[in-house]
Amino acid sequence: MKSIRQAIVLVLLLTLALTVLGSALFIGFGALLTLWLPLSLFQASCLAIGAAFTLAAIIFALTSIVSFIADH
């Protein structure tokens, strides 16, 4: 029972750390975008988040296609 509790705490701590790090990176990238584009910090951060989700979707699609080709 103790190892299950430790695993849950570890997953929660990792999730929290990744959330904080991800937020900092999105805001930081947004701040960089405001230097080059006439956007507010909120708009640039939203653009950075959208770009990250789009990149993740593209990587997922490409790995699915490669996996499908390898299976057939």
Side-chain angles (χ1 to χ4, degrees):
M1 188 61 106
K2 186 176 179 182
S3 63
I4 294 173
R5 196 174 303 154
Q6 288 175 339
I8 291 172
V9 169
L10 180 64
V11 167
L12 290 175
L13 287 175
L14 285 174
T15 303
L16 177 66
L18 289 174
T19 302
V20 169
L21 181 62
S23 298
L25 288 173
F26 290 140
I27 293 171
F29 189 65
L32 287 175
L33 284 176
T34 60
L35 297 175
W36 297 313
L37 300 173
L39 300 171
S40 69
L41 181 58
F42 177 75
Q43 291 171 328
S45 296
C46 288
L47 184 63
I49 291 170
F53 280 118
T54 303
L55 180 62
I58 290 170
I59 291 171
F60 176 74
L62 289 175
T63 55
S64 297
I65 291 169
V66 168
S67 175
F68 179 77
I69 291 172
D71 290 340
H72 289 87

